[in-house]
Amino acid sequence: LKRRATILDKLRREPSLSLDLMQDIGGCRAVLGSIAEIRRVEQRIKRNRPPLRYSDYIPQPPASGYRGVHIVVRYDEYAIEIQLRTRVMHDWAITVEKLSARLGVDIKADRDHPVHQLMALISEAMACDEEQRPMPPDLHRRITLCRLAAAPHLERGLG
C-alpha cells in the first residue's frame, strides 16, 4: 500500500485527482534482471489481466529521467499498479527519492532544480550502459556541468 504521506503529496500535486480515482494506492514492484525480462513479464501480465492503464517510460522517459513500466490492472474490485524496473532503474529511482527527502525538494517534479537536471542526465547515461549503446558524445560534458551546478545543493543536503 502507498504510504499516507505519499498519497497526500500526490493529492497536493494533482488537485483534480480524487482519492477514489487514484489507481496506485495499492501495488507492487518487480525488480528484474534485464529489459528483456521486463518485456516478458509485461506480456504475461497483459495476457492474464487486461490493463486499465499502461505507461512505458523506458524508450521515452519523462523529463525527470524516470524509467520503468507501469501497468494498472483490476484485482477483485481494486485497481492495482504493477511497476516493472531493472536493478539499474530501481537504484536510480530510489536515489532520487532519497535525495528529494534529504534536500526537501521534489526532484522529479522541479525541472528547474539543478539536481533534477543532473539526475535526468545520469539516467540517460545509465540507460546507455544498460542497453549497451554508446553514450552521446556530449553527455559526459553535460553531466559534468550539471554536477557543478548541483554541487552546492548536494553539499548542503548531504553534509
Side-chain angles (χ1 to χ4, degrees):
L1 293 174
K2 189 181 282 281
R3 292 185 307 269
R4 181 184 316 196
T6 307
I7 291 170
L8 293 173
D9 179 57
K10 186 168 188 173
L11 290 171
R12 275 195 279 301
R13 282 185 288 121
E14 300 178 35
S16 63
L17 178 66
S18 64
L19 188 58
D20 61 328
L21 295 177
M22 190 179 292
Q23 294 187 338
D24 58 350
I25 288 178
C28 63
R29 176 180 303 131
V31 179
L32 302 163
S34 67
I35 294 172
E37 196 171 339
I38 285 176
R39 298 303 180 204
R40 282 192 298 276
V41 171
E42 172 187 346
Q43 291 310 309
R44 198 171 327 139
I45 291 167
K46 286 178 171 179
R47 220 177 11 257
N48 293 328
R49 295 196 180 271
L52 301 174
R53 192 175 81 225
Y54 170 79
S55 301
D56 185 349
Y57 302 110
I58 295 174
Q60 300 217 288
S64 66
Y66 175 81
R67 295 169 59 239
V69 171
H70 293 198
I71 307 169
V72 178
V73 297
R74 177 132 342 262
Y75 185 80
D76 291 335
E77 71 270 15
Y78 302 103
I80 302 295
E81 181 180 67
I82 303 167
Q83 295 180 359
L84 305 175
R85 300 176 182 164
T86 63
R87 171 56 57 194
V88 170
M89 295 170 192
H90 183 67
D91 288 346
W92 179 92
I94 294 301
T95 300
V96 169
E97 292 295 326
K98 287 181 180 179
L99 283 171
S100 290
R102 291 187 95 169
L103 298 174
V105 176
D106 184 355
I107 292 172
K108 286 187 290 188
D110 188 351
R111 292 181 179 196
D112 295 327
H113 198 283
V115 177
H116 169 101
Q117 295 164 4
L118 175 63
M119 292 307 296
L121 292 173
I122 288 172
S123 172
E124 186 178 340
M126 292 170 86
C128 290
D129 184 59
E130 184 169 49
E131 296 165 10
Q132 298 178 348
R133 57 184 166 86
M135 277 200 334
D138 69 330
L139 184 56
H140 187 269
R141 179 189 59 77
R142 290 186 297 144
I143 289 172
T144 300
L145 292 173
C146 279
R147 186 177 53 80
L148 291 172
H153 301 278
L154 294 171
E155 290 165 4
R156 243 189 336 267
L158 305 177

